[in-house]
């Protein structure tokens, strides 16, 4: 008989990762497919929804090595290589922060359109904020 050394905490974390990945991945892919259809109006909000969904798809993929490690009783697998371990953490944290920032931009743009219904939120200003935040994360 095979005896697992996984603690209850590891099983719980693994379950959360499974749920986040296997619900988040198809859900966000469906959102991307919906928003890139020709019948959907290409405005700032739909562009931000696409960006948020693509970022979350990448986040779902980035979780796969952690799931593999937890399934293997925390054997490091890919994480045994220091470069990959450091790179993974950088990519994961950056994607998390960028996803939250995109939701912030979406919330601000929606709020501005409610406060000033006849005004228009400039796409260039939003893109500058996105590029500025990407530079901030990378540097």
């Amino acid at each position: 008989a095979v005896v697992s050394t996984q603690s209850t905490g590891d099983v719980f974390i693994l379950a959360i990762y499974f749920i986040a990945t296997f619900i988040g991945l198809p859900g966000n892919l469906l959102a991307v497919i919906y928003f890139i259809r020709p019948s959907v109006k290409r405005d700032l909000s739909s562009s931000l929804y696409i960006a948020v969904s693509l970022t979350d798809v990448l986040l779902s993929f980035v979780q796969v090595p952690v799931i593999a490690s937890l399934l293997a009783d925390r054997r490091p697998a890919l994480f045994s290589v220091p470069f990959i371990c450091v790179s993974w953490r950088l990519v994961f944290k950056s994607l998390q922060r960028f996803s939250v920032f995109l939701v912030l931009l979406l919330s601000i743009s929606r709020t501005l359109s409610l406060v000033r219904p006849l005004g228009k939120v400039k796409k260039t200003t939003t893109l500058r904020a996105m590029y500025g935040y990407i530079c901030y994360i990378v540097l």
Side-chain angles (χ1 to χ4, degrees):
V2 176
V3 178
S4 176
T5 59
Q6 288 184 326
S7 69
T8 305
D10 283 352
V11 172
F12 179 73
I13 292 169
L14 184 60
I16 296 298
Y17 270 111
F18 261 116
I19 292 168
T21 300
F22 295 108
I23 291 177
L25 192 59
N28 283 300
L29 284 173
L30 285 173
V32 170
I33 290 168
Y34 173 79
F35 282 108
I36 62 172
R37 290 184 330 179
S39 62
V40 174
K41 188 173 132 183
R42 286 292 156 90
D43 59 357
L44 178 61
S45 294
S46 62
S47 298
L48 286 172
Y49 279 121
I50 291 169
V52 169
S53 295
L54 285 174
T55 303
D56 290 346
V57 164
L58 291 174
L59 269 168
S60 294
F61 277 122
V62 170
Q63 294 178 29
V64 172
V66 177
I67 292 171
S69 178
L70 287 169
L71 285 172
D73 286 332
R74 285 195 177 249
R75 286 190 298 276
L78 287 176
F79 296 118
S80 62
V81 179
F83 174 76
I84 292 175
C85 191
V86 170
S87 299
W88 178 87
R89 184 172 190 269
L90 178 71
V91 168
F92 185 70
K93 291 290 184 186
S94 297
L95 285 171
Q96 278 182 326
R97 290 178 179 147
F98 191 60
S99 179
V100 170
F101 181 74
L102 288 172
V103 171
L104 172 73
L105 284 178
L106 183 63
S107 299
I108 290 171
S109 71
R110 298 284 73 211
T111 301
L112 289 174
S113 66
L114 288 172
V115 170
R116 292 196 267 163
L118 299 178
K120 185 167 173 115
V121 179
K122 293 183 181 178
K123 202 172 193 176
T124 55
T125 305
T126 307
L127 287 174
R128 285 183 189 145
M130 275 179 47
Y131 295 140
Y133 194 72
I134 289 170
C135 290
Y136 171 75
I137 289 175
V138 171
L139 301 176

